[in-house]
Amino acid sequence: MRIVVQEAPFDLGAESDAFAAGRHDMGAVVTFTGVVRDVNDQLDVMEIEHYPGMTEKALTKIATEAMQRWSLGDVLVIHRFGRLAPGDRIMMVATAAPHRRDAFEAADFLMDYLKSRAPFWKKEHGKDGTSWVAAKDEDEDALSRW
Amino acid sequence: MDILYFAWVRERIGLPKERITTDAATVADLVAELIAREDRYAVAFSDLSALRVAVDQELTDFDAPLSGVREVAFFPPMTGG
């Protein structure tokens, strides 16, 4: 299990390759990548704030729960903070499992929990000023699936 | 005890962190104490349903006891991912 919280960009290909390398017992690797979205060409910068210390603890707790609930070989979570531009990668999760259903479900679970239980906050700097991204009810509701 | 503020809570209160001495028994008591200090706290804490709290870096609720606690953080609902 590896949890990384960093300001710098990450190399998706290199991280994916390194994550699965040498695990011949894992038949399935799922990766999910979150990207800064700009639907209407309004966004200049996405600023991501986090709670150093608690962030790592919260992500470790979520990943540990995933390892306990599904038959997984490994979990990787990388999440960035700081100022990002539209199109930049914000974060990735990867799960490795003997079988694909465990890998898919665990990745889905990780994303649902990471959305509303890991201490990150997003602020949009756009053409019309700045605003904090509000949490969505549907993100909180998604947790009841698990 | 260290009190930390994040996102718009930090902006409304005007600082990221402060160290205070308090006899507050619970998070709710601490909030009442802060609100009584200055308007900017009253504004930030005007709607507790819009806030979340972590005690010693664990998410909890406003009834949580503060005995032996080193760090309390207030912030809006999280938006990771």
Side-chain angles (χ1 to χ4, degrees):
Chain A
M1 189 167 89
R2 193 160 80 95
I3 305 295
V4 182
V5 182
Q6 65 181 30
E7 187 159 12
F10 58 88
D11 183 331
L12 177 62
E15 293 291 352
S16 301
D17 287 348
F19 175 69
R23 292 302 302 261
H24 299 160
D25 52 337
M26 296 294 122
V29 174
V30 165
T31 60
F32 171 87
T33 314
V35 178
V36 178
R37 180 185 52 198
D38 179 17
V39 180
N40 299 314
D41 199 24
Q42 290 292 309
L43 184 69
D44 293 326
V45 170
M46 175 78 85
E47 186 182 347
I48 300 177
E49 180 173 334
H50 80 115
Y51 182 172
M54 179 174 167
T55 308
E56 292 80 358
K57 278 186 199 170
L59 292 175
T60 301
K61 188 176 170 185
I62 295 164
T64 301
E65 190 172 346
M67 297 282 287
Q68 286 164 353
R69 290 179 65 161
W70 286 274
S71 175
L72 301 176
D74 206 358
V75 170
L76 167 68
V77 179
I78 302 177
H79 204 302
R80 297 178 63 195
F81 61 90
R83 295 170 73 87
L84 280 68
D88 283 356
R89 293 190 188 100
I90 302 176
M91 51 81 57
M92 70 174 289
V93 301
T95 54
H99 304 289
R100 73 176 186 281
R101 194 156 310 281
D102 287 308
F104 271 125
E105 285 185 7
D108 203 10
F109 167 89
L110 285 167
M111 286 311 304
D112 276 350
Y113 269 82
L114 197 149
K115 275 257 166 210
S116 41
R117 290 292 182 274
F120 290 99
W121 301 274
K122 296 189 180 112
K123 188 178 194 179
E124 293 179 337
H125 299 253
K127 307 280 184 285
D128 299 326
T130 63
S131 63
W132 289 97
V133 175
K136 296 188 187 78
D137 288 343
E138 66 203 54
D139 288 338
E140 188 66 30
D141 295 346
L143 301 185
S144 62
R145 294 201 293 144
W146 310 104
Chain B
M1 183 186 296
D2 287 328
I3 316 290
L4 284 72
Y5 309 106
F6 292 95
W8 59 254
V9 184
R10 170 178 54 73
E11 291 178 341
R12 282 183 201 175
I13 290 173
L15 74 176
K17 185 175 180 174
E18 60 186 323
R19 180 160 289 183
I20 66 162
T21 304
T22 177
D23 295 324
T26 66
V27 173
D29 294 342
L30 172 64
V31 169
E33 224 174 76
L34 291 169
I35 286 173
R37 279 166 71 174
E38 279 179 61
D39 270 359
R40 58 197 168 110
Y41 293 95
V43 171
F45 289 107
S46 61
D47 177 11
L48 291 188
S49 72
L51 291 180
R52 300 290 178 268
V53 58
V55 166
D56 284 340
Q57 303 189 351
E58 290 278 349
L59 208 58
T60 183
D61 52 47
F62 287 84
D63 297 333
L66 291 183
S67 171
V69 163
R70 296 170 53 199
E71 187 171 299
V72 178
F74 296 102
F75 41 78
M78 296 158 274
T79 53

